[in-house]
Amino acid sequence: MNIILLGPPGAGKGTQAQRLVKERGMVQLSTGDMLREARTSGTEMGQKVAAVMDSGQLVTDEIVIGLIEEKIREGNTAGYIFDGFPRTLGQADALNELLSRNGAQLEAVIQLEVDDETLVARIVNRAKEAEAAGQPVRADDNEDSVKIRLMEYYKKTSPLIGYYYARNDLRTVDGLQDVEKVAADISEALV
Ligand code: AMP
């Protein structure tokens, strides 16, 4: 079973993906995590994307599609949770092609719905908590970058809602509920 978690930054995609990994043994593919890893290990690509990521803009389709392709080629039986990918229509088309080339398909697209005010509050809070715990704060978890990340979401990613709706893959979950209830609704949507 392969699923996409779709939603703006701060909607809870990462949190819910981690639960699905624990509960179902699925494999989480987060392009954000992969890009951050590339930066930490100092690869040429990591250095290239650093400034773009910190500003809150999207990196090129070519880079993230390449990262996903590498992972899918490794194969897995339990299924993938795509977290933060696809983020553009071009990426969505590429994912279809990659999956079908590997004899796989998409089971569902879970859209996590959260209002903008809550998103900004959650992200600012995530930064504060990290700082208080002495953990590194994401360079894009500040108010300026968050505004750009939200705008990128509305301009480039939100058209995917219509795209997956038309393909009859879209399931919408209220992401404002507590973590347990969101998880329960996702499980129900996957039956
Ligand atoms: P995330 O951890 O998913 O919030 O991603 C952090 C940042 O990585 C984003 O703001 C983008 O700069 C970049 N990024 C992650 N995934 C993608 C993607 N699928 N397409 C383009 N840029 C991405």
Side-chain angles (χ1 to χ4, degrees):
M1 175 163 75
N2 301 301
I3 67 167
I4 294 172
L5 293 180
L6 182 65
K13 302 185 296 291
T15 304
Q16 295 299 330
Q18 279 162 22
R19 289 184 65 113
L20 289 164
V21 169
K22 273 201 202 118
E23 286 165 14
R24 297 173 183 244
M26 296 172 79
V27 175
Q28 177 186 11
L29 294 185
S30 156
T31 40
D33 286 348
M34 292 177 210
L35 292 166
R36 278 185 290 275
E37 223 173 271
R39 291 179 63 168
T40 310
S41 54
T43 64
E44 197 181 317
M45 183 273 278
Q47 288 172 1
K48 208 168 104 185
V49 298
V52 177
M53 287 178 76
D54 290 351
S55 74
Q57 288 172 294
L58 295 187
V59 310
T60 64
D61 282 358
E62 195 190 352
I63 287 176
V64 286
I65 291 166
L67 288 170
I68 290 287
E69 188 170 10
E70 228 172 88
K71 296 284 179 188
I72 289 184
R73 226 186 285 129
E74 290 169 11
N76 108 78
T77 49
Y80 294 111
I81 307 153
F82 295 98
D83 161 13
F85 179 92
R87 261 173 153 107
T88 65
L89 290 167
Q91 293 177 24
D93 282 338
L95 179 61
N96 285 340
E97 206 187 301
L98 278 176
L99 288 175
S100 64
R101 214 189 296 156
N102 285 274
Q105 58 183 17
L106 208 53
E107 174 87 11
V109 177
I110 307 287
Q111 181 203 1
L112 292 174
E113 250 184 349
V114 179
D115 64 88
D116 288 359
E117 220 173 293
T118 307
L119 295 173
V120 176
R122 279 185 185 177
I123 291 173
V124 169
N125 201 38
R126 173 163 77 187
K128 272 193 199 144
E129 275 178 9
E131 202 171 8
Q135 287 168 352
V137 176
R138 275 178 57 164
D140 58 353
D141 275 356
N142 62 75
E143 220 168 313
D144 286 345
S145 299
V146 170
K147 277 187 198 149
I148 294 175
R149 283 159 72 194
L150 270 178
M151 200 42 82
E152 289 283 82
Y153 173 78
Y154 287 117
K155 274 198 301 198
K156 298 175 184 166
T157 309
S158 69
L160 299 187
I161 296 169
Y163 176 87
Y164 287 118
Y165 171 80
R167 292 170 54 106
N168 209 18
D169 286 330
L170 196 73
R171 320 264 185 281
T172 300
V173 168
D174 177 3
L176 282 174
Q177 309 172 101
D178 67 55
V179 176
E180 299 295 326
K181 182 71 173 79
V182 174
D185 283 3
I186 291 176
S187 286
E188 207 170 300
L190 294 178
V191 174

